């Protein structure tokens, strides 16, 4: 390891260092605000250090590679964690629990996700995944006084451990067949043609289980609604964005490097998973009455949409997927941010009734939530619309007619449950008086930090939806760092 | 640039009205009224500048053309342009916009600021749709008008508004997504053929497509337009949405929103996919004829006044479909006239129903009758527009239907003959309105009903003058739209030129046979 490697890994080192410092500080002086500020400094420092990384791509041993593709995802992940941390502050100020360790866990989870982004080897892949998962177990069950919190944590623990086992077994099979755990060498081995395909494919398929679990794709989605519902709202936002984003970045890199597109059965497998995720996510979302569960199922569907970019492959697919993920990050952070901001001390604001006539009580929050929901539904003027457009474009460009048509049908279905929330928010308050329902008037005040984060997210949502030129160009230059050899080989 | 202002004024006016309503509701109303009036004045100005025949013809195809790079990465431009047809339609939009603000002057008391915001944004979206010449931007505006309309129905509507607003949204959204896929597919096909990836209408016009692809893409566009229009199997959302919407919402829906569907067929379906449009001529005309008859019969069967008027839209829009697929100048001129006249006459009927509802709080025809003695002004206005909607000579609708039927008779006489039956039924339902509401005996224990006041008479006089003018002196309108219509006909006629097609696409074996078929179905 040379000193140059330290430059490349500076964002990771800052995060790791920050979490250790925080632990030490907590040991001596336990204070919510201090820990919070330290975590912000860590995340912001990590983000700022991204700008100083030069001489890409930088390879660190056999395990990690820092290219501009990774830098983009690192930036996305740190910013998302920053937003989650700020939202968490006002959320946890209301709680009685010890809340300092929460930020440490948040930082380590972010670290795990960032390791995933830069891994190019099974070892670092697994390491990153475990750093992420172990932190998440604790984060999800962070408020044990609540009814579903521990249930959600245990559920995630058991299922994540099982999926890790599948992952390990899959990796072992791939290793047994190819004799390497390095993505690039694996790709070279596959391209050489002398492959025992059944063994290799079994290995890949087992790995897909773990990936599908992390991305909450059907049929590995069972944990999603319960965990989303049971976890504290900021953690839910984190699970839905940062953990999925890191995994998606890794899997795209892996698939491109090993050129998985040459295996027709894998492509079919992913097509099936994509279609199943879209339908299952949307249909089950129709049946829900709990906001967090609706968003959980809708995120399953959205990851299904996202898979279209993956199936399309190539430069355009990667661009579309990245753009979609950016839009998805913004909307999901915004939506769960609203839930977090509105939450009470004893429970999260996930009941439909909490949103009744929200527009007439809290017009600012209701307008933002409407914008977020419209983006999820893919209505113009929002980033979600352009994301869907990009996906459809990538899909049509590679003649993926079936997934694109199913995307269209599902977008239409999904409109129903997003509108259901919107309708509740705009329902006139006087109707409730007539109906004898209690009018919810007490809801927590909006903190400055929460307000800023939500406003910034909304501005980005509209900005990327109306003038996406800048961000698209940026994505284009950043992702071009990803192994150009393999990208051009894809259809 | 002036075209952009048309949209921006409405959008800014909407935001200003929303904010102003926090202090003063009247201020919000005045702001929206002024914004719409300014828009109307601008459109009149544009028309006055370009009204002479020389200019209309010379500047063809576009009178004003505005272009700005929007998302260069995808070849998306902010391209707005105006020809005679879109000029007339934005004129209608601005006109109806002013009236719809006036109509809701007293009707909307609840959250008036947000109401006016939505109203003005719908108008902005519709104006954008009529002016966009970039397919991406067209889709963008197509969707922009959807959300505020949804709110308008969902918040200020009548009893069953939630159901109606959901239905409206899902029908239109689902159908427009198919158009979206077709747009993107067209973009890629054009890009792969020529290497130029663009959404620009003018460049996509000449895209070479295989017959199958052309048919599928055309159907993708058509389904979005046909749902908006609406045409019979897909008209289901309309009666609910129209009935449940507040008066201004119904007026905008009937007078303007439906026209975006018609406009889409004329502007996009026919010129972009001339061969497929020709192949679809017979089914298209049949669908139009079904709409005419079915709409008329159902209108006759309603007991809810507003629902009745809603079904007359199905009936009238059938003529648009019939005329559009006749694919000749006469019929297309009729279609443009029909769009304008239907906008005015149905808008007026909805305002009448709304005014009546404000007074007697029912829309049930069985609870009405004998109102003429008490409210003669309303009766007289009602009579004018009932006669307009049955197509009495001297009023605009007659010209429109006459032109449409003459044109489509040239294209296919049998279907047209059948469609004409719809005229008889529409006479019956129109007269039934008069008989049920204004004649006969008044139901007992009805308290005194006030007649139209000055504001309402101003609205109605404007509408009556407009419909009379269109009926007696339609020439300025026909002259304005003629060059645009000629362009469309020219594009459509590409569909019957088999020789040219064979040259361009040597790889298609079936092409001569197909083209021969379409020639047989064609007009001449």
């Amino acid at each position: 390891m040379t000193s140059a490697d330290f430059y490349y890994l500076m964002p990771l080192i800052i995060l790791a260092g920050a979490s250790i410092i925080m632990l030490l500080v907590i040991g001596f002086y336990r204070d919510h605000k201090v820990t919070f500020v330290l975590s912000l400094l860590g995340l912001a420092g990590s983000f700022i250090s991204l700008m100083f990384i030069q001489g890409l791509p930088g390879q660190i041993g056999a395990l990690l590679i820092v290219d501009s593709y990774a830098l983009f995802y690192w930036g996305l992940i740190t910013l998302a964690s920053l937003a989650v941390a700020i939202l968490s502050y006002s959320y946890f100020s209301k709680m009685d629990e010890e809340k300092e360790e929460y930020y440490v866990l948040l930082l380590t989870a972010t670290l795990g996700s960032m390791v995933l982004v830069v891994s190019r080897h099974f070892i670092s892949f697994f390491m990153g995944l475990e750093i992420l998962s172990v932190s998440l177990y604790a984060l999800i069950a962070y408020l044990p006084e609540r009814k579903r919190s521990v249930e959600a944590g245990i559920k995630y623990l058991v299922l994540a451990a099982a999926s890790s086992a599948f992952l390990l077994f899959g990796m072992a099979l791939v290793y047994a067949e190819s004799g390497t755990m390095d993505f690039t060498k694996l790709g070279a081995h596959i391209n050489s043609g002398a492959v025992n395909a059944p063994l290799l494919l079994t290995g890949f398929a087992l790995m897909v289980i773990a990936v599908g679990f992390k991305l909450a794709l059907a049929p590995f989605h069972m944990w999603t609604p319960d965990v989303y519902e049971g976890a504290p709202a900021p953690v839910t936002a984190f699970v839905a964005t940062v953990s999925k984003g890191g995994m998606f970045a890794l899997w795209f890199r892996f698939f491109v490097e090993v050129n998985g597109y040459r295996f027709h059965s894998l492509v079919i497998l992913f097509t099936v998973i994509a279609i199943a995720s879209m339908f299952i996510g949307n249909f089950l979302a129709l049946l829900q009455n709990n906001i967090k569960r609706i968003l959980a199922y809708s995120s399953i569907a959205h990851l299904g949409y996202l898979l279209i970019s993956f199936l399309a492959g190539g430069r355009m697919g990667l661009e579309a997927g990245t753009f979609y993920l950016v839009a998805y990050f913004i909307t999901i952070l915004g939506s769960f941010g609203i839930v977090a901001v509105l939450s009470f001390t004893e429970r999260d604001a996930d009941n439909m009734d909490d949103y009744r006539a929200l527009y007439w009580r809290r017009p600012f929050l209701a307008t933002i939530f409407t914008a977020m929901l419209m983006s999820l539904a893919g209505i113009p003027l929002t980033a979600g619309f352009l994301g869907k457009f990009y996906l459809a474009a990538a899909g049509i460009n590679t003649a993926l007619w079936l997934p694109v048509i199913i995307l269209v049908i599902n977008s239409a279905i999904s409109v129903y449950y997003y509108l259901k929330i919107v309708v509740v928010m705009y329902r006139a308050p006087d109707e409730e008086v007539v109906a004898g329902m209690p009018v919810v008037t007490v809801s927590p005040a909006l903190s400055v930090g929460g307000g800023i984060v939500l406003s910034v997210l909304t501005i980005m949502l509209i900005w990327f939806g109306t003038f996406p030129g800048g961000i698209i160009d940026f994505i284009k230059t950043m992702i071009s760092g990803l192994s150009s050899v393999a990208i051009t080989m894809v259809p | 640039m002036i075209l952009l202002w048309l949209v921006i004024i409405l959008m800014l006016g909407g935001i200003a009205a929303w904010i102003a309503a926090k202090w003063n509701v009247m201020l919000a109303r005045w702001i929206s009224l002024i914004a719409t009036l300014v828009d109307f004045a601008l459109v009149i100005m544009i028309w006055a500048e370009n009204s002479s025949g020389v200019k209309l013809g010379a500047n063809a195809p576009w009178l004003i053309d505005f272009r700005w790079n929007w998302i260069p990465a995808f070849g998306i431009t902010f391209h707005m342009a105006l020809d005679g047809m879109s000029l007339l339609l934005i004129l209608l939009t601005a006109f109806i916009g002013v009236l719809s603000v006036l109509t809701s002057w007293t009707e909307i008391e609840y959250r008036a600021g947000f109401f006016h915001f939505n109203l003005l944004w719908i108008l902005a979206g519709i104006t954008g749709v009529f002016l966009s010449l970039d397919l991406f931007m067209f889709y963008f505006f197509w969707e922009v008008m959807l959300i505020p309309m949804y709110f308008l129905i969902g918040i200020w509507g009548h009893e069953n508004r939630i159901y109606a607003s959901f239905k409206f949204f899902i029908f239109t959204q689902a159908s427009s997504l198919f158009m979206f896929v077709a747009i993107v597919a067209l973009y890629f096909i054009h890009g792969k053929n020529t290497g130029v990836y663009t959404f620009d209408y003018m460049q996509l016009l000449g895209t070479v497509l295989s017959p199958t692809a052309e048919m599928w893409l055309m159907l993708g566009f058509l389904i979005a337009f046909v749902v908006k229009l609406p045409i019979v199997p897909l008209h289901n959302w309309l009666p609910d949405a129209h009935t449940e919407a507040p008066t201004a919402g119904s007026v905008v829906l009937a007078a303007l929103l439906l026209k975006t569907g018609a406009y889409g067929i004329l502007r996009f379906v026919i010129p972009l996919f001339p061969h497929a449009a020709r192949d679809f001529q017979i089914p298209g005309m049949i669908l139009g004829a079904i709409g005419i008859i079915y709409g008329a019969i159902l209108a006759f069967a309603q007991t809810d006044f507003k629902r009745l008027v809603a079904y007359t839209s199905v009936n009238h829009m059938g003529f648009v479909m019939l005329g559009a697929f006749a694919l000749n100048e006469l019929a297309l001129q009729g279609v443009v006239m029909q769009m304008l006249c239907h906008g005015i006459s149905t808008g007026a009927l909805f305002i009448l129903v709304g005014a009546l509802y404000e007074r007697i709080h029912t829309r049930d025809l069985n609870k009405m009758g004998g109102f003429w003695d008490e409210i003669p002004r309303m009766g007289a206005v009602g009579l004018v527009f009932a006669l307009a909607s049955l197509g009495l000579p001297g009023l605009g609708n007659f010209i429109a239907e006459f032109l449409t039927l003459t044109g489509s008779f040239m294209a296919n006489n049998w279907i047209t003959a059948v469609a004409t039956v719809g005229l008889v039924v529409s006479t019956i339902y129109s007269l039934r309105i008069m008989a049920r509401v204004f004649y006969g005996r008044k139901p007992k224990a009805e308290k005194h009903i006030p007649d139209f006041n000055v504001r309402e008479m101003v609205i109605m006089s404007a509408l009556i003058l407009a419909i009379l003018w269109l009926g007696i002196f339609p020439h300025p309108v026909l002259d304005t739209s003629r060059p645009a219509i000629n362009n469309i006909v020219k594009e459509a006629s590409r569909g019957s030129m088999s020789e040219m097609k064979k040259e361009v696409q040597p790889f298609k074996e079936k092409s001569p046979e197909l083209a021969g078929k379409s020639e047989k179905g064609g007009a001449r």
Side-chain angles (χ1 to χ4, degrees), chain B residues 27-82:
Chain B
L27 187 62
R29 296 204 171 104
W30 278 105
I31 288 175
S32 0
L33 184 62
I34 290 168
T36 45
L37 276 174
V38 168
D39 240 33
F40 188 47
L42 282 178
V43 181
I44 294 274
M45 214 177 75
I46 297 173
W47 197 18
E49 270 174 24
N50 296 296
S51 59
S52 68
V54 188
K55 270 196 170 166
L56 279 170
N59 293 2
W62 310 113
L63 302 174
I64 305 175
D65 202 335
F66 171 74
R67 194 192 298 256
W68 174 67
N69 261 349
W70 185 13
I71 310 174
F74 281 117
I76 297 170
T77 50
F78 200 88
H79 188 184
M80 284 182 151
L82 179 94

Side-chain angles (χ1 to χ4, degrees), chain A residues 43 64 70 153 195 220 251 260 331 340 367 397 414 436 445 454 465 468:
Chain A
L43 287 167
L64 305 174
V195 186
F220 317 110
W251 190 245
T331 25
T367 310
N397 192 25
S414 71
L454 290 176

Side-chain angles (χ1 to χ4, degrees), chain B residues 63-126:
Chain B
L63 302 174
I64 305 175
D65 202 335
F66 171 74
R67 194 192 298 256
W68 174 67
N69 261 349
W70 185 13
I71 310 174
F74 281 117
I76 297 170
T77 50
F78 200 88
H79 188 184
M80 284 182 151
L82 179 94
D83 66 357
M85 181 169 70
S86 27
L87 174 60
L88 291 174
L89 287 169
I90 56 169
L91 187 66
L92 180 73
T93 310
F95 180 60
I96 296 290
V98 175
L99 297 184
S100 59
V101 172
L102 279 175
T103 318
S104 41
W105 206 258
T106 55
E107 189 198 357
I108 304 298
E109 281 168 356
Y110 181 68
R111 299 280 164 175
F114 192 44
F115 175 85
H116 284 98
F117 169 79
N118 284 318
L119 187 59
L120 291 194
W121 275 62
I122 300 173
L123 294 173
I126 293 171

Side-chain angles (χ1 to χ4, degrees), chain B residues 371-409:
Chain B
F371 287 168
W372 190 288
D373 294 338
E374 213 165 335
I375 41 173
R377 279 181 240 161
M378 270 181 149
V381 170
L383 185 60
V384 170
F385 288 107
L387 292 179
S389 95
L390 69 80
L392 191 79
L395 299 168
N397 302 50
F398 169 72
I399 308 278
E401 278 161 24
F402 180 75
L403 284 174
T404 312
L405 287 174
T406 320
S408 43
F409 191 80

Side-chain angles (χ1 to χ4, degrees), chain A residues 38 73 122 131 141 163 182 247 249 252 277 339 361 393 406 438 459:
Chain A
L38 280 176
Y73 275 91
F122 281 163
I131 299 175
S163 82
D182 185 302
M247 191 44 131
F252 217 121
S277 301
V339 175
R361 288 185 282 131
I406 288 176
I459 290 169

